[in-house]
Amino acid sequence: MDIVGLGADRWLSAVGARDLYAMMRHQQARQLLVAENGPMAWSGPVGSSMPTTWRRHPGLARAYEAARNAVDAVALTVGRPGAAAADSADPVSLRRWLGSALTLLGLAGEEPWPARPTMPRRPVPMTSWTGATYYGFRKPSGARGDRGGHADARDRMDSATRREFLPEVSVRAYRRAVRAVLHLQQRTEVLAAERDREASVAFGKARLAYLLAEEDFVACPATAAFTAYYVARLNMRTEFTSGRQARPMDTLAEQLLAAALTASTCRPWVLASVLTRWSVLDRLNDEQCGRLMGLYYEQLAASARALRRVYDVRRDPTHMIVRAGDDSSTWNSATRAFNQARTGWLNLMRGLGYDDVIEASCPGKVPALVAADVAAWHRREGRDQHADVQVWADLPLPWDVVLGDDSCPAELVRQACQRHGIDPETTGWTQPYRQGLTELPAPARDLVHGVTVSSPLLARVLRQIGVFSGQAQRR
């Protein structure tokens, strides 16, 4: 969205308008300058912000169709009604359908064995019959059945039981249905994990703005200008530094927020979807506050499930540094979403007067995994890991608290913070986190693997040949 085209300069002070136009001229000059330099036209920043799209699971249309046809054939033969149709892209709907299908086929509704991975993360060197070396994917290892793969060897009905409960159903039709249903059950668990990962990525990028209807977003130009600018600030990439990262709220965003709150067409619901300040929450009615509270907790639960799946129980919680084999991308995107959803939920609970709920259940923060080179940089400067890591290690796992498998009262958090010399109120452990410093607006830097570059065109060429990746250069 072009906030200059919306007329944002009308709502800004002279300093704010100057900063806005300075960033606009900087962006236009970079694009025009590089576009005139021949065939390698460059139309935007190399790495100043996150990608505008992310991987999304398309659903299980083919697997569901195969399972539904096989189960309907069995149900038709025995004269029973088939299960209600399910949405192949929704794991909750698929699980509901699977419950009916498993009951019909006489299978237990227990959690399925994990699906066998079909390929490793990276290609490995292989030798061809001529002796030449090439890179390819290994064939999947591991047995089928009870140790992975399509687990069709679970306790099926024997022939006598099948003839009693499913008369006139052939062995082939029954086993076909069993294989299709169990395969779909495994795939549904993968789909559920992907939906949680997608929710974490989307919330980390845009808070709840990705759930807004377009008509609500564009109803108030001032609200749309702040929301677009603030989400763009949220999407700025992290820099490779031993210091602090840039915060999303700057002086220009503060002015846009003030203009949105004073506009006659203000949409507080849109503002609260990205920013849960009490000045915004005061403008919502009780129904909107309750709905927003539920949405933030659902995002918190989705991030909690993603963290639970990727967490290694053998990890030392006081050593949050990336190791070989860690899925740091999933972990860090989930921690980002979890901590931001936690802040929004705490803001809502404190702002609405539900302090007793927080006192009874106050899940802790989750630290991100730090790259080993950044951790070494910290040690070289005489610093250790962030003090929050020690507090998180002393508390119950936050995702267990959110999902109801453990308890963590606020008093327990205060005691852990006191042991490590941390103020739980000002550091966001028992109170919502507050950005202590308002940034000055500045054009987003061009980054490659977190490193600022002066020439985006040269950086693009170097990145294409693998200079920045730390791996062997591609030919």
Side-chain angles (χ1 to χ4, degrees):
M1 170 172 287
D2 183 6
I3 62 175
V4 176
L6 287 175
D9 54 326
R10 296 174 296 170
W11 314 311
L12 301 174
S13 65
V15 175
R18 180 198 65 191
D19 293 335
L20 177 62
Y21 278 102
M23 288 189 288
M24 182 189 70
R25 288 194 300 270
H26 176 81
Q27 181 71 9
Q28 290 177 345
R30 291 161 62 210
Q31 289 181 342
L32 292 175
L33 176 64
V34 180
E36 294 173 357
N37 287 340
M40 293 192 65
W42 173 76
S43 60
V46 168
S48 59
S49 62
M50 296 183 183
T52 55
T53 59
W54 58 88
R55 187 177 80 251
R56 180 170 174 81
H57 197 293
L60 303 174
R62 292 178 59 186
Y64 168 68
E65 187 69 19
R68 187 174 65 87
N69 291 337
V71 171
D72 286 350
V74 173
L76 182 63
T77 303
V78 296
R80 299 181 189 175
D87 181 1
S88 61
D90 180 16
V92 175
S93 178
L94 286 173
R95 283 169 175 162
R96 192 180 305 116
W97 183 90
L98 283 167
S100 302
L102 291 170
T103 302
L104 173 66
L105 299 175
L107 299 172
E110 60 191 18
E111 184 178 350
W113 293 99
R116 185 182 64 183
T118 56
M119 62 178 60
R121 289 182 178 273
R122 294 180 179 178
V124 296
M126 297 182 177
T127 305
S128 67
W129 63 275
T130 61
T133 301
Y134 67 97
Y135 287 83
F137 293 112
R138 284 193 295 260
K139 293 182 178 180
S141 58
R144 292 181 178 270
D146 58 352
R147 289 190 293 277
H150 304 293
D152 58 332
R154 208 186 303 176
D155 292 338
R156 297 190 297 251
M157 291 188 291
D158 55 24
S159 21
T161 308
R162 177 176 50 79
R163 293 192 189 98
E164 179 182 355
F165 288 96
L166 297 176
E168 301 181 5
V169 175
S170 66
V171 176
R172 295 186 62 182
Y174 174 70
R175 291 187 175 179
R176 183 186 303 114
V178 168
R179 287 194 301 270
V181 167
L182 293 182
H183 174 67
L184 178 63
Q185 189 184 26
Q186 284 185 324
R187 296 283 301 276
T188 300
E189 296 306 312
V190 175
L191 176 63
E194 280 297 292
R195 289 290 180 257
D196 289 337
R197 183 197 61 81
E198 291 162 5
S200 299
V201 173
F203 187 85
K205 285 184 173 188
R207 304 297 184 265
L208 295 176
Y210 76 101
L211 299 176
L212 292 173
E214 183 177 358
E215 54 269 18
D216 293 335
F217 178 72
V218 300
C220 174
T223 301
F226 167 76
T227 305
Y229 183 77
Y230 189 70
V231 169
R233 292 279 301 177
L234 290 172
N235 275 263
M236 292 179 61
R237 287 189 180 275
T238 56
E239 295 187 44
F240 183 78
T241 176
S242 65
R244 67 176 185 86
Q245 300 291 336
R247 299 295 186 261
M249 185 62 74
D250 61 10
T251 56
L252 183 55
E254 291 282 6
Q255 293 188 36
L256 290 173
L257 175 61
L261 291 174
T262 57
S264 59
T265 57
C266 177
R267 291 294 185 271
W269 173 259
V270 177
L271 296 176
S273 297
V274 297
L275 188 69
T276 53
R277 284 188 180 180
W278 292 349
S279 58
V280 177
L281 298 178
D282 288 342
R283 298 169 178 263
L284 300 177
N285 57 40
D286 292 343
E287 186 273 334
Q288 289 175 322
C289 287
R291 181 183 171 199
L292 194 65
M293 195 185 308
L295 287 174
Y296 267 93
Y297 203 84
E298 282 300 314
Q299 295 294 328
L300 194 63
S303 303
R305 289 190 294 268
L307 289 169
R308 172 180 281 180
R309 291 187 184 98
V310 76
Y311 182 65
D312 185 359
V313 295
R314 298 167 295 181
R315 169 181 288 280
D316 179 4
T318 64
H319 191 75
M320 299 302 290
I321 299 175
V322 177
R323 309 172 304 184
D326 285 340
D327 187 359
S328 58
S329 297
T330 301
W331 176 268
N332 287 343
S333 64
T335 57
R336 175 188 175 99
F338 183 93
N339 292 329
Q340 294 298 335
R342 177 183 177 274
T343 297
W345 182 73
L346 287 177
N347 258 327
L348 283 162
M349 302 303 286
R350 294 292 189 191
L352 298 176
Y354 295 125
D355 294 355
D356 55 330
V357 177
I358 298 178
E359 291 298 319
S361 180
C362 183
K365 296 189 285 187
V366 182
L369 285 174
V370 180
D373 47 5
V374 176
W377 190 353
H378 288 172
R379 289 193 298 269
R380 185 173 182 179
E381 293 181 346
R383 293 180 293 163
D384 202 352
Q385 292 189 94
H386 199 281
D388 283 352
V389 176
Q390 303 299 324
V391 178
W392 115 280
D394 285 355
L395 295 175
L397 295 174
W399 47 87
D400 287 342
V401 178
V402 170
L403 299 176
D405 297 329
D406 207 340
S407 60
C408 182
E411 185 57 32
L412 182 63
V413 179
R414 294 190 186 98
Q415 293 173 4
C417 291
Q418 185 178 7
R419 284 194 298 271
H420 298 285
I422 295 178
D423 185 352
E425 308 293 329
T426 59
T427 55
W429 281 97
T430 56
Q431 291 286 345
Y433 170 76
R434 296 281 185 263
Q435 181 178 322
L437 178 66
T438 303
E439 304 279 346
L440 293 176
R445 300 178 181 179
D446 291 305
L447 305 173
V448 176
H449 294 282
V451 180
T452 303
V453 296
S454 58
S455 172
L457 185 60
L458 178 60
R460 178 181 179 181
V461 175
L462 295 176
R463 185 172 62 176
Q464 287 177 343
I465 64 175
V467 169
F468 289 98
S469 66
Q471 302 174 9
Q473 297 184 15
R474 295 188 294 271
R475 295 181 179 179

PDB file of all heavy atoms in Angstrom, residues 226 229-230 233 248-258:
ATOM      1  N   PHE A 226      -1.440   3.625   9.022  1.00  0.00           N
ATOM      2  CA  PHE A 226      -0.656   3.150  10.166  1.00  0.00           C
ATOM      3  C   PHE A 226      -0.458   1.642  10.100  1.00  0.00           C
ATOM      4  O   PHE A 226       0.654   1.138  10.332  1.00  0.00           O
ATOM      5  CB  PHE A 226      -1.342   3.503  11.480  1.00  0.00           C
ATOM      6  CG  PHE A 226      -0.754   2.769  12.654  1.00  0.00           C
ATOM      7  CD1 PHE A 226       0.465   3.158  13.176  1.00  0.00           C
ATOM      8  CD2 PHE A 226      -1.396   1.655  13.196  1.00  0.00           C
ATOM      9  CE1 PHE A 226       1.035   2.448  14.242  1.00  0.00           C
ATOM     10  CE2 PHE A 226      -0.830   0.952  14.251  1.00  0.00           C
ATOM     11  CZ  PHE A 226       0.386   1.355  14.773  1.00  0.00           C
ATOM     12  N   TYR A 229       2.116   0.692   7.458  1.00  0.00           N
ATOM     13  CA  TYR A 229       3.480   1.103   7.822  1.00  0.00           C
ATOM     14  C   TYR A 229       4.015   0.243   8.970  1.00  0.00           C
ATOM     15  O   TYR A 229       5.171  -0.198   8.940  1.00  0.00           O
ATOM     16  CB  TYR A 229       3.491   2.575   8.222  1.00  0.00           C
ATOM     17  CG  TYR A 229       4.872   3.103   8.553  1.00  0.00           C
ATOM     18  CD1 TYR A 229       5.780   3.407   7.547  1.00  0.00           C
ATOM     19  CD2 TYR A 229       5.278   3.283   9.874  1.00  0.00           C
ATOM     20  CE1 TYR A 229       7.052   3.875   7.846  1.00  0.00           C
ATOM     21  CE2 TYR A 229       6.541   3.753  10.180  1.00  0.00           C
ATOM     22  CZ  TYR A 229       7.418   4.046   9.167  1.00  0.00           C
ATOM     23  OH  TYR A 229       8.689   4.501   9.466  1.00  0.00           O
ATOM     24  N   TYR A 230       3.181  -0.018   9.960  1.00  0.00           N
ATOM     25  CA  TYR A 230       3.636  -0.796  11.116  1.00  0.00           C
ATOM     26  C   TYR A 230       3.941  -2.243  10.716  1.00  0.00           C
ATOM     27  O   TYR A 230       4.938  -2.824  11.172  1.00  0.00           O
ATOM     28  CB  TYR A 230       2.566  -0.764  12.208  1.00  0.00           C
ATOM     29  CG  TYR A 230       3.014  -1.351  13.518  1.00  0.00           C
ATOM     30  CD1 TYR A 230       3.949  -0.699  14.306  1.00  0.00           C
ATOM     31  CD2 TYR A 230       2.511  -2.568  13.963  1.00  0.00           C
ATOM     32  CE1 TYR A 230       4.369  -1.235  15.512  1.00  0.00           C
ATOM     33  CE2 TYR A 230       2.916  -3.114  15.172  1.00  0.00           C
ATOM     34  CZ  TYR A 230       3.847  -2.439  15.938  1.00  0.00           C
ATOM     35  OH  TYR A 230       4.266  -2.982  17.135  1.00  0.00           O
ATOM     36  N   ARG A 233       7.214  -2.339   9.063  1.00  0.00           N
ATOM     37  CA  ARG A 233       8.288  -2.295  10.045  1.00  0.00           C
ATOM     38  C   ARG A 233       8.481  -3.670  10.720  1.00  0.00           C
ATOM     39  O   ARG A 233       9.609  -4.074  11.002  1.00  0.00           O
ATOM     40  CB  ARG A 233       7.976  -1.247  11.110  1.00  0.00           C
ATOM     41  CG  ARG A 233       8.011   0.185  10.626  1.00  0.00           C
ATOM     42  CD  ARG A 233       9.414   0.731  10.547  1.00  0.00           C
ATOM     43  NE  ARG A 233      10.100   0.696  11.825  1.00  0.00           N
ATOM     44  CZ  ARG A 233      11.364   1.072  11.988  1.00  0.00           C
ATOM     45  NH1 ARG A 233      12.074   1.475  10.937  1.00  0.00           N
ATOM     46  NH2 ARG A 233      11.936   1.018  13.176  1.00  0.00           N
ATOM     47  N   PRO A 248       9.951  -2.074  15.962  1.00  0.00           N
ATOM     48  CA  PRO A 248       8.990  -1.689  14.913  1.00  0.00           C
ATOM     49  C   PRO A 248       8.395  -0.298  15.088  1.00  0.00           C
ATOM     50  O   PRO A 248       8.080   0.359  14.101  1.00  0.00           O
ATOM     51  CB  PRO A 248       7.902  -2.769  15.026  1.00  0.00           C
ATOM     52  CG  PRO A 248       8.021  -3.302  16.410  1.00  0.00           C
ATOM     53  CD  PRO A 248       9.464  -3.210  16.766  1.00  0.00           C
ATOM     54  N   MET A 249       8.233   0.176  16.313  1.00  0.00           N
ATOM     55  CA  MET A 249       7.590   1.470  16.518  1.00  0.00           C
ATOM     56  C   MET A 249       8.626   2.591  16.440  1.00  0.00           C
ATOM     57  O   MET A 249       9.575   2.622  17.219  1.00  0.00           O
ATOM     58  CB  MET A 249       6.875   1.497  17.872  1.00  0.00           C
ATOM     59  CG  MET A 249       6.083   2.772  18.123  1.00  0.00           C
ATOM     60  SD  MET A 249       4.751   3.039  16.919  1.00  0.00           S
ATOM     61  CE  MET A 249       3.573   1.807  17.462  1.00  0.00           C
ATOM     62  N   ASP A 250       8.439   3.500  15.482  1.00  0.00           N
ATOM     63  CA  ASP A 250       9.303   4.674  15.373  1.00  0.00           C
ATOM     64  C   ASP A 250       8.450   5.935  15.476  1.00  0.00           C
ATOM     65  O   ASP A 250       7.232   5.881  15.643  1.00  0.00           O
ATOM     66  CB  ASP A 250      10.128   4.632  14.084  1.00  0.00           C
ATOM     67  CG  ASP A 250       9.268   4.625  12.822  1.00  0.00           C
ATOM     68  OD1 ASP A 250       8.040   4.839  12.929  1.00  0.00           O
ATOM     69  OD2 ASP A 250       9.809   4.407  11.729  1.00  0.00           O
ATOM     70  N   THR A 251       9.097   7.075  15.362  1.00  0.00           N
ATOM     71  CA  THR A 251       8.376   8.340  15.546  1.00  0.00           C
ATOM     72  C   THR A 251       7.330   8.553  14.461  1.00  0.00           C
ATOM     73  O   THR A 251       6.266   9.126  14.715  1.00  0.00           O
ATOM     74  CB  THR A 251       9.367   9.509  15.556  1.00  0.00           C
ATOM     75  OG1 THR A 251      10.148   9.487  14.337  1.00  0.00           O
ATOM     76  CG2 THR A 251      10.321   9.402  16.738  1.00  0.00           C
ATOM     77  N   LEU A 252       7.615   8.101  13.255  1.00  0.00           N
ATOM     78  CA  LEU A 252       6.638   8.238  12.176  1.00  0.00           C
ATOM     79  C   LEU A 252       5.416   7.360  12.438  1.00  0.00           C
ATOM     80  O   LEU A 252       4.263   7.785  12.222  1.00  0.00           O
ATOM     81  CB  LEU A 252       7.291   7.866  10.842  1.00  0.00           C
ATOM     82  CG  LEU A 252       6.424   8.023   9.578  1.00  0.00           C
ATOM     83  CD1 LEU A 252       5.871   9.433   9.466  1.00  0.00           C
ATOM     84  CD2 LEU A 252       7.227   7.653   8.347  1.00  0.00           C
ATOM     85  N   ALA A 253       5.633   6.144  12.937  1.00  0.00           N
ATOM     86  CA  ALA A 253       4.508   5.263  13.273  1.00  0.00           C
ATOM     87  C   ALA A 253       3.685   5.851  14.416  1.00  0.00           C
ATOM     88  O   ALA A 253       2.450   5.727  14.426  1.00  0.00           O
ATOM     89  CB  ALA A 253       5.026   3.874  13.651  1.00  0.00           C
ATOM     90  N   GLU A 254       4.326   6.506  15.366  1.00  0.00           N
ATOM     91  CA  GLU A 254       3.593   7.139  16.463  1.00  0.00           C
ATOM     92  C   GLU A 254       2.663   8.226  15.936  1.00  0.00           C
ATOM     93  O   GLU A 254       1.512   8.352  16.375  1.00  0.00           O
ATOM     94  CB  GLU A 254       4.576   7.725  17.481  1.00  0.00           C
ATOM     95  CG  GLU A 254       5.363   6.686  18.274  1.00  0.00           C
ATOM     96  CD  GLU A 254       4.542   6.071  19.391  1.00  0.00           C
ATOM     97  OE1 GLU A 254       3.334   6.359  19.496  1.00  0.00           O
ATOM     98  OE2 GLU A 254       5.107   5.282  20.162  1.00  0.00           O
ATOM     99  N   GLN A 255       3.132   9.009  14.990  1.00  0.00           N
ATOM    100  CA  GLN A 255       2.296  10.074  14.428  1.00  0.00           C
ATOM    101  C   GLN A 255       1.147   9.487  13.608  1.00  0.00           C
ATOM    102  O   GLN A 255       0.019   9.998  13.660  1.00  0.00           O
ATOM    103  CB  GLN A 255       3.138  11.010  13.571  1.00  0.00           C
ATOM    104  CG  GLN A 255       4.152  11.820  14.359  1.00  0.00           C
ATOM    105  CD  GLN A 255       4.839  12.872  13.514  1.00  0.00           C
ATOM    106  OE1 GLN A 255       4.232  13.475  12.631  1.00  0.00           O
ATOM    107  NE2 GLN A 255       6.111  13.109  13.785  1.00  0.00           N
ATOM    108  N   LEU A 256       1.425   8.448  12.860  1.00  0.00           N
ATOM    109  CA  LEU A 256       0.355   7.808  12.088  1.00  0.00           C
ATOM    110  C   LEU A 256      -0.688   7.189  13.014  1.00  0.00           C
ATOM    111  O   LEU A 256      -1.892   7.235  12.726  1.00  0.00           O
ATOM    112  CB  LEU A 256       0.944   6.740  11.173  1.00  0.00           C
ATOM    113  CG  LEU A 256       1.783   7.239   9.995  1.00  0.00           C
ATOM    114  CD1 LEU A 256       2.451   6.064   9.282  1.00  0.00           C
ATOM    115  CD2 LEU A 256       0.929   8.033   9.008  1.00  0.00           C
ATOM    116  N   LEU A 257      -0.244   6.612  14.144  1.00  0.00           N
ATOM    117  CA  LEU A 257      -1.191   6.043  15.106  1.00  0.00           C
ATOM    118  C   LEU A 257      -2.056   7.136  15.724  1.00  0.00           C
ATOM    119  O   LEU A 257      -3.278   6.964  15.871  1.00  0.00           O
ATOM    120  CB  LEU A 257      -0.424   5.285  16.191  1.00  0.00           C
ATOM    121  CG  LEU A 257      -1.270   4.720  17.338  1.00  0.00           C
ATOM    122  CD1 LEU A 257      -2.287   3.712  16.810  1.00  0.00           C
ATOM    123  CD2 LEU A 257      -0.385   4.080  18.399  1.00  0.00           C
ATOM    124  N   ALA A 258      -1.434   8.254  16.091  1.00  0.00           N
ATOM    125  CA  ALA A 258      -2.207   9.359  16.667  1.00  0.00           C
ATOM    126  C   ALA A 258      -3.238   9.879  15.668  1.00  0.00           C
ATOM    127  O   ALA A 258      -4.385  10.187  16.039  1.00  0.00           O
ATOM    128  CB  ALA A 258      -1.263  10.480  17.098  1.00  0.00           C
TER     129      ALA A 258
END
